Amino acid sequence: MTNPPIVSSRISLMLVDDHVLFRRGLMALLAQDERFDVLCEAGDVGEASRCLERGQPDLILLDNNLPGVKGIEAIPGLRQLAPKARILMLTVSEDSQDLQQALRAGADAYLLKTIDADELIESLVKVASGTSVVSADLTTKLVAALRAGETSAARDPAGVGASATCGMTPRHRPPPRARWSASRRGSARSSATSPVARATSTSRARSTSPRPR
C-alpha cells in the first residue's frame, strides 16, 4: 500500500457493522491513512443513531445485515439524522435487488466486503468528494436488472403483474420511517471475513506474540 499524502482536511467516518472483527480491521486499515478520522463505530442502527447525536461524519459505512433492521431500511432515518453525510453500503450481498433498493433508498455507493484494501481507500475518497461508486462485479448485474425492469414495465404498464406477485401494494407497505423507528428499539448473524479483516487479524497476531461475513 503506497504512502498516503498528508492532507489538511480529514474525512470523518462512522462505521456501522455488527461484526466486531471486521470493524476493528477496517479501523486499523483507516488508521494508516492520515486522510481519515473514524468518529464512531456502531453494531446496530440504534447505536448508530446515538453516535450521530454526538457528531456528524462525512461518510457513513453501512452494512446491510444488521440485527433488528437491515441497513437498507435504515438509510432514510440516517439521512434525517445526518443530512450532509454520504452513505456507502459495505456488504457481502451481491443480490442485484439489494443493490437497487439501496440506491433507491438514498445510498451513494455500494461496495462488496471482498474489495481490495487499496481499492476501498480510493473508493472512500471518491465517495467523500461526491462521486457515486458501485463495485465493478455488480455493474453488469445492475444494468441487466434495469433492462429487465424496463422490459417488464413495457409489457405491464399498469403494474398488475407486480402487485399480484408481491401480494402487497405500496400503500399497504409500512413506510420507511416506521421501520426505522422499530429498528432503534431492537437489536446476530454469522460473520463473513474479508481480505481487510484477515490482513488486520494476521498483523495483530504478529505484533502481540513471538507467536463474515
Side-chain angles (χ1 to χ4, degrees):
M1 188 169 171
T2 58
N3 292 327
I6 298 177
V7 294
S8 56
S9 179
R10 305 178 75 183
I11 300 170
S12 59
L13 304 96
M14 178 175 76
L15 312 181
V16 188
D17 193 300
D18 71 323
H19 186 198
V20 178
L21 178 60
F22 181 80
R23 287 206 314 268
R24 294 290 186 268
L26 189 52
M27 289 175 67
L29 175 66
L30 296 172
Q32 301 174 35
D33 194 316
E34 295 186 7
R35 290 172 293 181
F36 300 106
D37 179 26
V38 178
L39 294 181
C40 184
E41 58 173 308
D44 56 45
V45 174
E47 192 175 353
S49 68
R50 291 189 291 275
C51 283
L52 292 176
E53 291 172 358
R54 299 193 297 268
Q56 295 285 299
D58 299 314
L59 278 179
I60 298 175
L61 274 61
L62 180 66
D63 186 23
N64 188 32
N65 296 319
L66 297 171
V69 157
K70 285 191 173 184
I72 291 175
E73 296 176 343
I75 291 176
L78 294 175
R79 280 275 180 225
Q80 291 182 9
L81 293 174
K84 295 183 180 180
R86 305 273 292 171
I87 298 178
L88 184 153
M89 297 294 300
L90 186 58
T91 178
V92 297
S93 176
E94 299 182 39
D95 192 320
S96 62
Q97 290 189 347
D98 283 345
L99 170 59
Q100 292 180 75
Q101 289 173 5
L103 297 178
R104 287 172 181 151
D108 299 291
Y110 193 102
L111 299 176
L112 298 177
K113 287 184 176 180
T114 52
I115 189 171
D116 176 76
D118 288 336
E119 186 179 350
L120 174 60
I121 293 297
E122 181 182 348
S123 296
L124 294 181
V125 174
K126 287 182 178 179
V127 176
S129 66
T131 302
S132 294
V133 178
V134 173
S135 284
D137 295 342
L138 296 178
T139 303
T140 301
K141 289 185 178 182
L142 177 60
V143 172
L146 292 175
R147 286 176 176 170
E150 291 174 355
T151 302
S152 177
R155 294 175 177 173
D156 186 16
V160 175
S163 297
T165 302
C166 297
M168 182 183 291
T169 62
R171 67 176 181 175
H172 292 144
R173 298 188 187 114
R177 181 63 186 172
R179 295 195 295 270
W180 161 256
S181 298
S183 74
R184 299 178 65 177
R185 295 192 298 268
S187 227
R189 79 162 203 244
S190 61
S191 63
T193 304
S194 73
V196 173
R198 287 198 299 269
T200 306
S201 195
T202 301
S203 174
R204 180 185 302 167
R206 289 173 178 169
S207 64
T208 57
S209 151
R211 52 161 189 157
R213 270 181 154 260

